[in-house]
Amino acid sequence: MKEKNPWKTPVTIIITVIGVIVIVALVTVAVLQNKPLLQKYKYGIVLDAGSSHTALYIYKWPAEKDNNTGRAEQTHVCKVKGGGISSYAADPSKAGESLRACIGDAERMENSTASDRVFQAVKETLESSPFSYQGARILSGQEEGAFGWVTVNYLDDRLKQGLETTGALDLGGASTQISFVSDNFDGSESLMNSVTFRLYGNDYNLYTHSFLCYGKDQAQRLALAHQTQSGLEKILDPCFNPGYNRIQNYSVLYDSPCVSNRKPQTAPTSFQLTGTGNYRECQKIVRSIFNFTTCKYSRCSFNGVFQPPVQGGFGAFSAYYFVMDFLNLTDTSMPLETVKEKLTSYCSTPWDQIKQQHQRVKEKYLAEYCFSGTYILTLLTEGYNFTSESYSKIKFIKKIKGSDAGWTLGYMLNLTNMIPAEAPDTPLLPHAGYVSIVTIMAILLFILFILSLRPVWPHCSKLPQVV
Ligand SMILES: Nc1ncnc2c1ncn2[C@@H]1O[C@H](COP(=O)(O)OP(=O)(O)O)[C@@H](O)[C@H]1O
Ligand SMILES: [Ca+2]
């Protein structure tokens, strides 16, 4: 007699079908249960009113994860037209006006609903009380440096993972900041340069310093002030391209707290500035704006400011990036000697030729790249004491993963308590691992169930019985 295939009995078929349905159901439930609900976002807005410009940044992060694993990212940036907020001192209402233009522009963004709500809120706040800056305050230079450091390391995912951190170099118009973690610095030698954080369960001892008047624009004033001490009518400036010419008003040049006390007693209304385009000579002038001689600590950067030796990698942003990017010098694997040669060549290029080659670049920036490049190189190598080896560990950056490098994101993360001091509890298993385990368990259960039916299979009864 032909033996009946036990797998084809109706009972087994029904059990198999039910088993499969159970497994599918289990997996579906597991997947759905663990799938995040429709993603909702929270938004943060930071207005950066810098010395040379104002910008509005919008950040978003998953609403249910704001104290834990969610990541904040920049969704929009709007550069306010016109100069820095201090240029509105004589007519403050104009400062509000300039902001509104930026908001209006942003409202035309494509991604409507979320941004509409965000901007409506900003608009209402700003329109209802244009002079009630509840959330606005002046950051100290120390905070500016420290928040820039937080931004860079947060975006690089170095904080959560407890990785070695990256230093931050910010070059603004009025001031410049350097911040890094140093093994040789516990704050004891100079408390005012020390900032300590506890982030995601790790302690950080940060060295930070902000040099007021050493931003790109004020450094340029310091250099020009140095050259016009005797109230001359004409100066030959090696930091401008050959053939560059402009008339500069003395009062305008000295109208800044960084140089106002140096205004020559007797000076004509203005002087004529003529470029001679010589990198080496320009560097001599740039050196003269630093004081390298006084230092009451074990070691200093300049102007008697304590600084441990630079350590590890660095991210250099704002004007560091604008200038080095224009000069095609962002590749720091290029030896310092080559960088200097390229700068020498840029500085000595006739002004007419420069203008001809870069018709779209603002003339003010164009004229200043020789000075700015020389200043950046001098500040890094002679000011902060970067060597050719440590220089190669600098990265000139504008954005990290879509967000601008700068203090604003770090400031917002701090304000919203989005970086916990202690490491957040992580789930035992990642989502995929959880789903796999549930699936395997379900299959095992099913197999066990089938096996448990073995004794009732017809052919089994024919096996010899063990007594
Ligand atoms: N594309 C550019 N090329 C050269 N310089 C620039 C460019 N864009 C901005 N700058 C200048 O870089 C400096 C730093 O800019 P920023 O970081 O915005 O300064 P702040 O925060 O002090 O307003 C300013 O002097 C600004 O005028
Ligand atoms: Ca700035």
Side-chain angles (χ1 to χ4, degrees), residues 50-53 171-174 216-217 318-319 322 365 369:
S51 71
S52 69
H53 83 301
L171 181 59
K216 175 167 111 46
D217 301 333
S318 358
F322 305 143
Y365 291 154
Y369 284 126

Side-chain angles (χ1 to χ4, degrees), residues 73-303:
E73 58 181 12
Q74 181 179 315
T75 61
H76 187 73
V77 58
C78 176
K79 311 264 172 198
V80 176
K81 286 220 170 67
I85 200 160
S86 56
S87 61
Y88 295 102
D91 192 355
S93 62
K94 289 252 165 62
E97 287 292 313
S98 70
L99 268 184
R100 217 164 282 155
C102 189
I103 291 161
D105 173 54
E107 275 178 338
R108 286 192 287 275
M109 279 191 325
E110 276 175 354
N111 178 5
S112 54
T113 43
S115 60
D116 278 356
R117 268 185 277 130
V118 168
F119 282 108
Q120 193 55 36
V122 178
K123 205 170 159 182
E124 277 167 15
T125 315
L126 290 177
E127 279 182 352
S128 62
S129 57
F131 302 110
S132 141
Y133 298 109
Q134 290 118 334
R137 66 187 185 91
I138 295 173
L139 290 197
S140 68
Q142 227 189 23
E143 288 173 303
E144 210 171 334
F147 289 138
W149 179 90
V150 169
T151 301
V152 167
N153 287 284
Y154 173 85
L155 290 173
D156 267 348
D157 281 326
R158 288 172 187 275
L159 302 178
K160 209 184 286 174
Q161 299 183 26
L163 299 175
E164 192 164 311
T165 56
T166 307
L169 294 161
D170 185 348
L171 181 59
S175 62
T176 189
Q177 291 80 35
I178 177 168
S179 316
F180 59 98
V181 165
S182 164
D183 296 337
N184 306 314
F185 180 61
D186 59 3
S188 58
E189 198 170 350
S190 173
L191 207 57
M192 62 187 170
N193 295 119
S194 163
V195 177
T196 52
F197 294 113
R198 188 168 173 82
L199 309 170
Y200 298 112
N202 301 304
D203 286 314
Y204 297 97
N205 218 329
L206 197 64
Y207 165 84
T208 183
H209 191 81
S210 177
F211 290 92
L212 195 55
C213 299
Y214 285 80
K216 175 167 111 46
D217 301 333
Q218 295 304 322
Q220 180 126 44
R221 277 185 204 251
L222 290 175
L224 277 172
H226 175 82
Q227 294 172 87
T228 51
Q229 276 309 280
S230 38
L232 301 169
E233 273 185 27
K234 283 184 177 185
I235 66 157
L236 295 174
D237 193 330
C239 298
F240 288 86
N241 300 87
Y244 178 83
N245 247 301
R246 82 163 187 241
I247 306 290
Q248 167 84 56
N249 187 298
Y250 263 100
S251 306
V252 173
L253 172 62
Y254 283 90
D255 180 23
S256 150
C258 295
V259 289
S260 54
N261 59 346
R262 301 186 203 179
K263 192 172 179 190
Q265 295 288 314
T266 51
T269 330
S270 56
F271 62 90
Q272 187 182 27
L273 186 152
T274 304
T276 58
N278 184 318
Y279 168 74
R280 282 175 67 89
E281 292 301 314
C282 175
Q283 193 172 38
K284 281 187 196 160
I285 291 169
V286 169
R287 273 190 196 121
S288 74
I289 71 170
F290 297 101
N291 176 349
F292 293 119
T293 49
T294 48
C295 180
K296 61 173 186 175
Y297 302 102
S298 59
R299 53 198 309 148
C300 286
S301 47
F302 56 94
N303 295 4

Side-chain angles (χ1 to χ4, degrees), residues 425-431 434:
D425 292 337
T426 45
L428 219 53
L429 282 173
H431 183 61
Y434 172 80

